[in-house]
Amino acid sequence: MKIVCSQSDLLKAVNIVSKAVPARTTVTILECIKIDARENDIVLTASDTQLSIETRIEGTIEERGMVALNAKFFSEIVRSLTSNDVTIECDSSYKTKIICGKAKFETMGRSGEDFTALPLVSEEHPIVISQMLLRDIIQQTIFSISDSNDQKPMTGEQFKIEDNHLRIESLDGHRISIRNVLLNEDLNPEPVKYDVVVSGKSLNEVSKILTGGADDQVRIYISKPAEDTMNETRFIRFDFDKTKVVSTLLPGGYYNIDQMVSSEYQTKVRINRRELLDCINRANLLYTVEGKKEPFVINVTDGLMELNIRTMNSSFDEKIEIEKEGLDINIAFNPKFLNDALRVIDDEEVTFYFINSKAPCSIKDDEETYIYIILPVNR
Amino acid sequence: MKIVCSQSDLLKAVNIVSKAVPARTTVTILECIKIDARENDIVLTASDTQLSIETRIEGTIEERGMVALNAKFFSEIVRSLTSNDVTIECDSSYKTKIICGKAKFETMGRSGEDFTALPLVSEEHPIVISQMLLRDIIQQTIFSISDSNDQKPMTGEQFKIEDNHLRIESLDGHRISIRNVLLNEDLNPEPVKYDVVVSGKSLNEVSKILTGGADDQVRIYISKPAEDTMNETRFIRFDFDKTKVVSTLLPGGYYNIDQMVSSEYQTKVRINRRELLDCINRANLLYTVEGKKEPFVINVTDGLMELNIRTMNSSFDEKIEIEKEGLDINIAFNPKFLNDALRVIDDEEVTFYFINSKAPCSIKDDEETYIYIILPVNR
């Protein structure tokens, strides 16, 4: 194999596929990036078996072939090169030369044959969404997945699509995050219906490599449930720019979130988001410094929210002006959970809905494009 | 005690004195920052016994007094506050309130009485130097101190002052770094002579808080050797802006560096510094990825420097155009040592002087404002 491409294109592609290289693995071929120039395109691939990423780069194929190179070493090499043309050349024993200007690296590659191909996902009924919007709604919900493997579905996010309406949900037992978006009907002329749980780790990586704007699109393909076998793995594929990302779907169902969302409330509070976030960050110091998880108490009266934490040696108090409807309330939270939700909302003002001091509170806008539900802490 | 000052002044001062707070200590009072408002100034102090830093801030003293607050907690609190006036108030039991806008922290402070005062250093015969220059020459030599306590003097830097000439030297057994500067005679009218070893850790912290430019000055005071006792600790004090930094001097003598500096050479090479640095960084990948320390070989012939590393599985080669005088030479180095020296030199081109493949090579300019001496590796 012998290919020539620009260092900047190569670096961009290596950075994208590297997201799928496992941090630790006993299968050494998975530590590699496969460079496939057997056909007319130069295609880079990496995979940790759950998540596979493939991306194409512009370049000249002087001799067709394929090689797999250690991902860490190869990406460091590419990063170290000057912005010039890079030649990658390997012989039949996979000894590989990487040449750029007067610098030349030589290293032992491996046959790319051991690398499994990207799982096939039927290209019927895609969902088309802007890159920016998909990145945003992932980042606005991903923080409330669970990292515990005891509750497998909690490690993913539910994607619910029906009638041009996409809803992403995540929950970790203490809080729920929901984002609702309407899909563009021109781009999504056929009505589709899906209800799948996507691995949170994969979504996290997808959101990092989705660098496009509002006008750049992602096509999402979801494999159909198999009718004959119970155990067949299903996949989701994200196509954008020159990249394809395929991730396994989590098996089994998800939680019935609708049942946990209530529109009843006794107290409605409108508050400046920035002021509240700054206050929570200050309050959080008592958590991080003293290491004790004392409740962060919120006391709502007419026009005023008083917030405080008391630990053995220290205390914090702050008052913020608010608009209030309904009853006074005294309720306590883990400030981290409030912070996580408030930090991903774009609105200048946010609205809290409280039922009572034991029931979950919600933060949502009138159109319910976002709903964050947070359990209070017991005192 | 009750004082009022601006959040930005307070934060700046806390960041400066925090450099002296020990990371780990069994003496809990040393984990504190002392706020002393017993006289007409507000003075913040921290110390790890070797290094003490004191800085004054503008503000109003509404009630005189003194308190010591946990450094980590206090600095996090100050950082979290809005840029407003901050009131710090403590009662006779050292219960301390920190109030800014509508936010109020309360915490238990301690009496500042246990805090030892800054060691006294006579203000006779100061050395006056620009903040920028002192910062530069510390940062340009500090990387070649040793962190081994077996060779105590190697953990410091030698400051040699004579006839308005300041020379800073450091060495770690593999390399030597020297910077020579001429002191401004108007600012240093009296001739002084000092020859002391300053703790490298202290110098490192000093270089970080020296933020002034070429026109901002530092006054350096060095305590005289005691004539009667052998064991008295000596100190160096750096005065700049509103800050005083006092560090213990390392006891005992330093190495005779002059004896190790040779002006003889067989090969003289002039090379572009940036090109060589980039090449070394690329070569360094084979070190970092494979973890084996193979020699980085430099082969100098007429007009050309060829550089290469060969490990078990990989190799790197590069050629750089040079100007050469004298004999051809083939010599090997640890690329890190070359990198450390080249990275702190400002010149676009640098000159190497080689004697033979076993003898140390030097990198220096014609005026010897800098001299870097590096031992080759044996092959």
Side-chain angles (χ1 to χ4, degrees):
Chain A
M1 186 197 80
K2 186 174 179 185
I3 60 168
V4 183
C5 58
S6 86
Q7 186 260 352
S8 61
D9 284 356
L10 186 58
L11 181 57
K12 212 181 290 171
V14 164
N15 282 342
I16 289 173
V17 297
S18 289
K19 297 278 188 289
V21 177
R24 250 175 260 97
T25 174
T26 49
V27 189
T28 55
I29 187 73
L30 297 182
E31 291 170 350
C32 293
I33 290 174
K34 180 175 76 172
I35 305 173
D36 186 348
R38 288 176 303 176
E39 309 287 333
N40 297 323
D41 284 321
I42 306 172
V43 183
L44 268 58
T45 313
S47 173
D48 70 359
T49 70
Q50 303 285 309
L51 172 69
S52 307
I53 306 179
E54 159 187 311
T55 195
R56 274 172 302 129
I57 41 175
E58 302 289 329
T60 315
I61 301 174
E62 299 194 352
E63 193 194 315
R64 296 187 179 205
M66 180 164 71
V67 69
L69 300 173
N70 179 283
K72 195 178 155 210
F73 192 26
F74 180 52
S75 58
E76 291 285 354
I77 287 177
V78 175
R79 195 164 296 127
S80 82
L81 297 174
T82 49
S83 35
N84 245 314
D85 274 357
V86 181
T87 304
I88 303 175
E89 192 177 352
C90 82
D91 64 17
S92 56
S93 64
Y94 304 106
K95 191 173 189 175
T96 306
K97 288 181 196 157
I98 301 161
I99 304 161
C100 180
K102 283 180 178 161
K104 186 176 87 183
F105 285 94
E106 265 190 38
T107 186
M108 280 311 298
R110 300 176 51 166
S111 146
E113 302 289 346
D114 313 343
F115 234 92
T116 49
L118 223 61
L120 282 178
V121 181
S122 147
E123 297 197 354
E124 284 172 52
H125 310 306
I127 302 139
V128 185
I129 182 171
S130 96
Q131 290 193 25
M132 195 171 82
L133 186 56
L134 181 60
R135 179 179 63 240
D136 284 354
I137 57 178
I138 294 172
Q139 291 176 350
Q140 287 159 345
T141 50
I142 197 80
F143 56 85
S144 65
I145 62 170
S146 165
D147 51 10
S148 148
N149 270 320
D150 300 346
Q151 298 281 357
K152 195 73 185 171
M154 279 196 195
T155 64
E157 296 205 325
Q158 162 138 293
F159 274 54
K160 251 179 148 167
I161 299 130
E162 194 171 353
D163 298 335
N164 281 315
H165 174 213
L166 165 64
R167 178 183 177 108
I168 296 192
E169 300 166 340
S170 70
L171 85 171
D172 68 359
H174 302 285
R175 54 213 171 133
I176 303 170
S177 303
I178 302 171
R179 284 272 169 169
N180 288 302
V181 295
L182 280 178
L183 299 173
N184 182 320
E185 287 194 21
D186 294 337
L187 299 173
N188 296 276
E190 289 175 78
V192 290
K193 190 168 186 306
Y194 289 109
D195 199 345
V196 293
V197 187
V198 190
S199 142
K201 189 189 158 295
S202 298
L203 287 175
N204 211 354
E205 301 302 346
V206 166
S207 79
K208 285 183 205 156
I209 57 179
L210 276 174
T211 51
D215 294 333
D216 300 302
Q217 285 157 17
V218 189
R219 296 175 79 80
I220 305 175
Y221 304 101
I222 295 171
S223 64
K224 291 214 185 61
E227 278 161 26
D228 46 349
T229 65
M230 283 295 285
N231 293 318
E232 203 194 345
T233 310
R234 290 176 66 195
F235 298 96
I236 186 166
R237 192 175 105 196
F238 301 88
D239 278 21
F240 51 97
D241 307 330
K242 291 171 177 169
T243 302
K244 290 188 175 76
V245 180
V246 181
S247 166
T248 52
L249 293 174
L250 299 185
Y254 200 65
Y255 308 90
N256 186 346
I257 298 262
D258 285 326
Q259 211 176 301
M260 309 179 199
V261 179
S262 160
S263 58
E264 280 173 42
Y265 65 88
Q266 297 290 339
T267 314
K268 179 176 171 183
V269 168
R270 213 160 156 66
I271 188 166
N272 181 288
R273 187 179 65 91
R274 191 71 256 165
E275 264 186 72
L276 180 56
L277 258 181
D278 288 346
C279 167
I280 291 168
N281 285 333
R282 284 189 275 274
N284 212 27
L285 293 182
L286 269 72
Y287 263 48
T288 51
V289 173
E290 301 205 353
K292 290 250 187 65
K293 303 287 180 207
E294 301 296 336
F296 176 57
V297 180
I298 293 181
N299 194 49
V300 173
T301 51
D302 283 345
L304 210 63
M305 186 182 271
E306 289 179 74
L307 310 105
N308 72 65
I309 291 195
R310 316 224 165 278
T311 64
M312 204 162 65
N313 295 316
S314 309
S315 69
F316 166 78
D317 284 279
E318 188 159 350
K319 292 184 182 73
I320 302 177
E321 284 167 17
I322 55 165
E323 282 171 41
K324 188 196 88 166
E325 283 173 31
L327 305 180
D328 289 358
I329 186 168
N330 186 295
I331 188 168
F333 291 99
N334 177 336
K336 183 186 181 310
F337 295 163
L338 291 175
N339 179 69
D340 284 346
L342 290 168
R343 153 182 86 65
V344 297
I345 297 175
D346 289 324
D347 296 343
E348 200 178 321
E349 304 239 300
V350 291
T351 311
F352 280 77
Y353 296 87
F354 301 99
I355 298 172
N356 61 51
S357 66
K358 304 285 180 201
C361 95
S362 2
I363 309 170
K364 60 183 181 187
D365 59 349
D366 293 344
E367 303 77 31
E368 300 200 343
T369 59
Y370 61 82
I371 307 174
Y372 294 100
I373 298 173
I374 303 169
L375 269 177
V377 294
N378 284 324
R379 280 173 291 168
Chain B
M1 187 196 79
K2 185 174 180 186
I3 60 169
V4 183
C5 58
S6 86
Q7 186 261 354
S8 60
D9 284 354
L10 185 59
L11 182 57
K12 212 182 291 169
V14 165
N15 283 342
I16 289 173
V17 297
S18 289
K19 297 279 188 289
V21 177
R24 251 176 260 98
T25 175
T26 49
V27 188
T28 54
I29 187 72
L30 296 182
E31 292 170 350
C32 293
I33 290 174
K34 181 176 76 172
I35 304 172
D36 186 348
R38 288 175 302 179
E39 309 288 332
N40 296 323
D41 284 320
I42 306 172
V43 183
L44 268 59
T45 312
S47 173
D48 70 0
T49 69
Q50 304 284 309
L51 172 70
S52 307
I53 306 180
E54 158 186 311
T55 195
R56 273 171 302 129
I57 42 175
E58 303 289 330
T60 316
I61 301 174
E62 299 194 353
E63 192 194 317
R64 296 188 180 204
M66 179 163 70
V67 68
L69 299 173
N70 179 284
K72 197 178 154 209
F73 192 28
F74 181 51
S75 58
E76 292 284 353
I77 288 176
V78 175
R79 195 164 295 126
S80 81
L81 297 174
T82 50
S83 35
N84 246 315
D85 274 355
V86 180
T87 304
I88 303 174
E89 191 177 353
C90 81
D91 64 16
S92 56
S93 64
Y94 305 107
K95 190 173 191 178
T96 306
K97 288 181 195 158
I98 301 161
I99 304 161
C100 180
K102 283 179 178 160
K104 186 176 89 183
F105 285 94
E106 266 190 36
T107 187
M108 278 312 297
R110 298 175 51 166
S111 145
E113 301 290 346
D114 312 342
F115 234 92
T116 49
L118 222 59
L120 281 179
V121 182
S122 146
E123 297 197 355
E124 283 172 53
H125 311 305
I127 302 140
V128 185
I129 183 171
S130 95
Q131 290 193 26
M132 194 171 81
L133 186 56
L134 181 62
R135 179 177 64 238
D136 285 352
I137 58 178
I138 293 172
Q139 290 176 349
Q140 286 158 345
T141 50
I142 197 81
F143 57 84
S144 64
I145 62 169
S146 166
D147 51 10
S148 148
N149 270 320
D150 300 344
Q151 298 281 356
K152 195 74 184 172
M154 280 197 194
T155 64
E157 296 204 325
Q158 162 137 293
F159 274 53
K160 253 179 146 165
I161 299 129
E162 193 172 353
D163 297 336
N164 280 316
H165 173 214
L166 166 64
R167 179 182 176 109
I168 296 193
E169 299 166 340
S170 70
L171 86 171
D172 67 0
H174 303 285
R175 55 213 169 132
I176 303 171
S177 303
I178 302 170
R179 286 272 168 168
N180 288 301
V181 295
L182 281 179
L183 300 173
N184 182 320
E185 287 194 22
D186 294 338
L187 299 174
N188 296 276
E190 287 176 79
V192 290
K193 191 169 186 306
Y194 289 110
D195 199 346
V196 291
V197 187
V198 190
S199 143
K201 190 188 157 296
S202 298
L203 287 176
N204 210 355
E205 302 301 348
V206 167
S207 79
K208 286 183 205 156
I209 55 179
L210 275 174
T211 51
D215 293 334
D216 300 303
Q217 286 158 17
V218 188
R219 298 174 78 80
I220 305 174
Y221 304 100
I222 295 171
S223 64
K224 290 215 186 61
E227 278 161 28
D228 45 350
T229 67
M230 284 294 286
N231 294 319
E232 203 195 344
T233 310
R234 291 176 65 194
F235 299 96
I236 186 167
R237 192 175 105 195
F238 301 88
D239 277 22
F240 51 96
D241 306 331
K242 290 173 179 169
T243 302
K244 289 186 175 77
V245 180
V246 180
S247 166
T248 52
L249 292 174
L250 299 185
Y254 200 64
Y255 307 91
N256 186 346
I257 299 261
D258 285 324
Q259 209 175 302
M260 309 178 197
V261 178
S262 159
S263 58
E264 279 172 44
Y265 65 90
Q266 298 289 338
T267 313
K268 180 177 170 183
V269 168
R270 214 162 155 66
I271 188 165
N272 180 287
R273 187 179 65 91
R274 191 72 254 165
E275 265 185 70
L276 180 55
L277 257 181
D278 287 347
C279 167
I280 291 168
N281 284 334
R282 284 189 276 274
N284 211 29
L285 293 182
L286 269 72
Y287 263 48
T288 50
V289 174
E290 301 206 353
K292 290 249 185 66
K293 302 287 179 207
E294 301 295 335
F296 176 57
V297 179
I298 293 180
N299 193 49
V300 173
T301 51
D302 283 345
L304 210 62
M305 185 183 271
E306 289 178 73
L307 310 104
N308 74 64
I309 291 196
R310 315 222 166 281
T311 64
M312 204 162 63
N313 294 317
S314 310
S315 69
F316 167 77
D317 285 279
E318 188 158 351
K319 294 184 182 74
I320 301 177
E321 284 167 18
I322 55 165
E323 281 170 41
K324 188 197 87 167
E325 281 172 31
L327 306 178
D328 288 358
I329 187 169
N330 186 295
I331 189 169
F333 292 99
N334 178 338
K336 183 186 180 308
F337 295 164
L338 291 175
N339 178 71
D340 283 347
L342 289 168
R343 153 181 88 63
V344 296
I345 297 175
D346 289 324
D347 295 343
E348 201 178 320
E349 304 239 300
V350 292
T351 311
F352 280 78
Y353 297 86
F354 299 101
I355 298 171
N356 60 50
S357 66
K358 305 285 181 203
C361 96
S362 3
I363 309 169
K364 61 182 181 188
D365 60 348
D366 293 345
E367 303 76 31
E368 300 200 341
T369 59
Y370 60 83
I371 306 175
Y372 294 101
I373 299 172
I374 303 170
L375 268 178
V377 294
N378 283 325
R379 282 172 291 166

